[in-house]
Amino acid sequence: MKKTFFLLVALICTYNSGYSQSPDTLYNFTAYLGGGYSYNVTSFDYEFDGLKRGGFQGYVRVMWQPEYDLRGGIEFGYTSVYSVEESNIETVNGTTDLNTNVYAYPLMLVFSMSIIENWEVTIGTGFASSVVKNEAFGESSYSSNGASTAMISTGYYFPVAKDSRLGGEFRFTALPKYDDYLITLSLSFAYKFLEY
């Protein structure tokens, strides 16, 4: 997976080698706020009747742009991985409904580049805290652990003001520890908050 990301970055850098910004361009920091619908495309060993693959994914990203097109930054977010709802489960303690929600909080180092004006490609890798929440017999229990994560996305942004852009982003996210892979379509807002 990581080899694929490095290959993609190398191709983008090669394609854009002659398109760096002009020397008088200022450095800037841009914040991105995005959220949308995420869908788990993983093949499950057991397809429960109450399995829900869809959910919400949101993120906050801060990018630093130097005098060249390649930008770097960090991203923190939330993503629903999947949920399962089962009714009337027989146990030694009686009958209950079971609700299981699996979600993650990824923290990634990200890099992006504009292929053409207003169109960006972003890749990232980092750490995700995965959480499993179970509800049964009127009580909730939680378990969590950490693992690697990676993503690649592409987005197109329309300028709406001098320092603001609004656009859409399509993303692929990998949580390889449990073989969970998600695709997301989201709305994203970008604001250039510092220029120097």
Side-chain angles (χ1 to χ4, degrees), residues 4 17 19 25-26 46 59 78 106 119 135 149 153 157 176 189:
T4 305
S17 59
Y19 298 95
T25 300
L26 299 174
Y46 302 100
Y59 60 88
Y78 165 89
W119 180 32
E135 296 177 342
T149 185
S153 71
Y157 292 86
F189 176 74

Side-chain angles (χ1 to χ4, degrees), residues 16 69 71 114-120 155-159 165:
N16 284 281
D69 280 339
R71 297 165 222 144
S114 292
I115 302 299
I116 58 174
E117 187 176 4
N118 299 324
W119 180 32
E120 299 178 2
Y156 192 86
Y157 292 86
F158 299 92
R165 295 175 295 145

Side-chain angles (χ1 to χ4, degrees), residues 103-119:
Y103 50 93
Y105 297 101
L107 178 63
M108 291 183 282
L109 183 64
V110 291
F111 298 93
S112 73
M113 183 174 284
S114 292
I115 302 299
I116 58 174
E117 187 176 4
N118 299 324
W119 180 32

